[in-house]
Amino acid sequence: MFKDKTALLFVLTAFVTGLCGAFFYPLSSLFIVEALGAEPMMLSVYMVIAIVSSVIVSQLIARQSDRNWQRKTILIVSLSCYLVTVMSFIFVRDYWTAVAVATVFGSVSGASFGQLFALGREYGDRYVKDSTTFLSTMRAGIAIAWVFGPPAAFMLKASYGFGAAFSVSAAVVSFAILVIIKYLPSSVVTKETKVGQSDQPVPMSGGISAMIVLYCVIVVCTFAANNLYITSMPLYLSQELKVDPSWLGLLFGAAAAFEIPVMLSAGKMAEKFGAIKVMTLGVAIGCVFYLVMMFNTSFSAMLVAQLLNGFYIGVCATLGMVVLQDMMRDRLGTASTLFSSMMNIAMLVASLSVGFVGELFNYYSTLYVSLVSSLIAFALLVLFSIKSSQAQSKPIEASSTAS
């Protein structure tokens, strides 16, 4: 894989696009509150509109990409819309204008993640020996960008204001667009193949569709638990445990550092044991992680627990999309975008839950919610694994009976 220049460019593109988001999204909510003077409810409205519009538009685009639209063209257009969004936030000082920009341009930019990984999967299946490891490396590229992107963005904001951080994001996405235009392949799957796939009827109920719905619920439960933990932990540590503020950076940094080697090795683990089994183990370890965090308040115990968290998220973030792509091989754009959409929905669920649980109980109680959500994901993954095994055994039984 590392001798293939195009494969390396895919990894570079994933890293650069991840860096764009790392410089913009962590600051966007703070920008809405501080620069635009939005109340907490107005921030929630902004987040709901931005996420829902992105999910709807990106899924519509993904459906067309699996039929006759070029993925590279979609990727360029979506990143161009992201560039417009970021550039607008440098100058916008009105709340409803920001909402309009996020709805019109931000929703289109949401298609970039799914199209990049769909194009990467098509290239990996055709030209790379182990496409799962290739996709894992691409995903690790985004994770690496998020390790140092947000701290750098907050330092820029503290020193020079929001405009400086958003300007860096705009410069990075401009570089990404140029790399994609010049180096990435326009298409890996031929037009005839796409047309043939689009003419095939798509089952709307039962069979694979029911499995896809079940798997989507698993993804939402898994990442809602993690996003709720990420959102509530700063509040839990600062307002309830009253600990040193440096704890948070060290804990999150350790988790991110542990995630990266897991992501890089997830492909090999999936090849040896099966992606679903590795994911089930990851979610089970996630349940143990939340239990450790619930019953320990010492820094050393929380720091060691990040090993569990790193494995949990590293496996699920990497293999989660691969499993969905395997289920929808004829609709890779839809599969990749659907995974991204489920992660956005999980983020929305977590954002709404933290205020609700924190208001009724306390921020410590969010750990119970994360534990329950991960337990539900584990139980559903076991069910999903059983049903997958049954579905795979039926064709074998039918062929043996026929012979």
Side-chain angles (χ1 to χ4, degrees):
M1 181 184 73
F2 294 106
K3 295 180 180 180
D4 187 332
K5 292 183 179 179
T6 304
L8 290 176
L9 283 169
F10 269 107
V11 176
L12 173 64
T13 305
F15 169 75
V16 173
T17 52
L19 200 59
C20 301
F23 267 89
F24 176 71
Y25 289 113
L27 283 175
S28 59
S29 59
L30 190 63
F31 172 80
I32 295 296
V33 173
E34 287 190 3
L36 305 186
E39 298 293 331
M41 183 57 68
M42 295 171 70
L43 175 61
S44 297
V45 170
Y46 167 82
M47 293 181 64
V48 169
I49 293 175
I51 291 175
V52 171
S53 62
S54 178
V55 168
I56 294 173
V57 173
S58 59
Q59 286 300 143
L60 291 174
I61 292 173
R63 185 176 181 184
Q64 293 301 320
S65 74
D66 290 328
R67 295 182 173 181
N68 49 26
W69 290 7
Q70 290 286 338
R71 298 202 195 283
K72 180 176 178 177
T73 302
I74 298 173
L75 193 53
I76 293 169
V77 171
S78 61
L79 287 177
S80 298
C81 287
Y82 176 81
L83 178 60
V84 172
T85 303
V86 176
M87 290 294 293
S88 298
F89 271 53
I90 296 175
F91 305 103
V92 165
R93 290 299 178 268
D94 176 71
Y95 169 79
W96 290 110
T97 303
V99 172
V101 169
T103 304
V104 176
F105 295 100
S107 60
V108 179
S109 69
S112 59
F113 179 92
Q115 293 306 310
L116 176 61
F117 278 87
L119 188 61
R121 176 61 185 262
E122 289 175 350
Y123 184 85
D125 285 344
R126 183 159 296 197
Y127 298 110
V128 180
K129 184 178 179 181
D130 185 355
S131 62
T132 302
T133 299
F134 171 54
L135 286 177
S136 300
T137 307
M138 285 181 63
R139 190 66 181 82
I142 292 180
I144 293 170
W146 276 83
V147 170
F148 61 84
F154 277 100
M155 284 191 292
L156 274 173
K157 183 265 175 187
S159 300
Y160 304 104
F162 288 105
F166 294 160
S167 296
V168 171
S169 182
V172 172
V173 76
S174 299
F175 174 73
I177 292 171
L178 291 175
V179 170
I180 292 167
I181 292 173
K182 189 170 179 62
Y183 296 108
L184 289 193
S186 297
S187 180
V188 179
V189 178
T190 62
K191 184 177 180 180
E192 290 76 13
T193 303
K194 280 191 176 184
V195 170
Q197 289 173 350
S198 64
D199 291 338
Q200 296 174 0
V202 179
M204 297 304 294
S205 62
I208 189 69
S209 290
M211 294 292 285
I212 291 171
V213 171
L214 175 60
Y215 187 75
C216 285
V217 175
I218 291 169
V219 171
V220 171
C221 289
T222 299
F223 288 98
N226 178 62
N227 288 327
L228 180 57
Y229 162 78
I230 292 173
T231 305
S232 62
M233 190 52 51
L235 300 168
Y236 169 55
L237 292 178
S238 63
Q239 297 189 20
E240 294 178 10
L241 291 188
K242 308 290 185 183
V243 299
D244 191 315
S246 64
W247 280 31
L248 183 65
L250 292 171
L251 292 177
F252 281 5
F258 294 144
E259 282 176 28
I260 293 168
V262 173
M263 287 180 170
L264 292 172
S265 59
K268 296 296 184 183
M269 289 189 289
E271 185 180 6
K272 185 174 182 180
F273 302 106
I276 298 174
K277 289 182 179 179
V278 177
M279 271 194 69
T280 305
L281 175 63
V283 174
I285 289 176
C287 296
V288 176
F289 164 70
Y290 293 123
L291 282 170
V292 172
M293 294 298 291
M294 285 168 58
F295 293 105
N296 289 277
T297 56
S298 69
F299 175 74
S300 57
M302 289 184 175
L303 186 63
V304 172
Q306 300 311 309
L307 279 168
L308 305 175
N309 191 27
F311 186 88
Y312 166 46
I313 299 304
V315 163
C316 294
T318 305
L319 298 182
M321 181 173 56
V322 173
V323 172
L324 197 53
Q325 287 178 335
D326 287 342
M327 297 169 67
M328 305 170 69
R329 285 187 177 273
D330 60 333
R331 292 166 285 162
L332 288 177
T334 302
S336 303
T337 306
L338 184 59
F339 179 78
S340 175
S341 297
M342 292 305 105
M343 291 186 70
N344 284 333
I345 291 173
M347 186 184 301
L348 180 61
V349 170
S351 299
L352 296 175
S353 298
V354 67
F356 180 76
V357 176
E359 183 72 24
L360 289 182
F361 304 99
N362 51 40
Y363 293 115
Y364 168 78
S365 300
T366 59
L367 290 170
Y368 284 97
V369 179
S370 291
L371 175 62
V372 170
S373 184
S374 57
L375 285 171
I376 292 172
F378 175 76
L380 292 178
L381 259 175
V382 172
L383 176 63
F384 179 84
S385 180
I386 293 171
K387 286 186 172 292
S388 296
S389 300
Q390 292 174 346
Q392 290 173 1
S393 64
K394 284 181 181 180
I396 298 175
E397 293 175 358
S399 60
S400 62
T401 303
S403 60

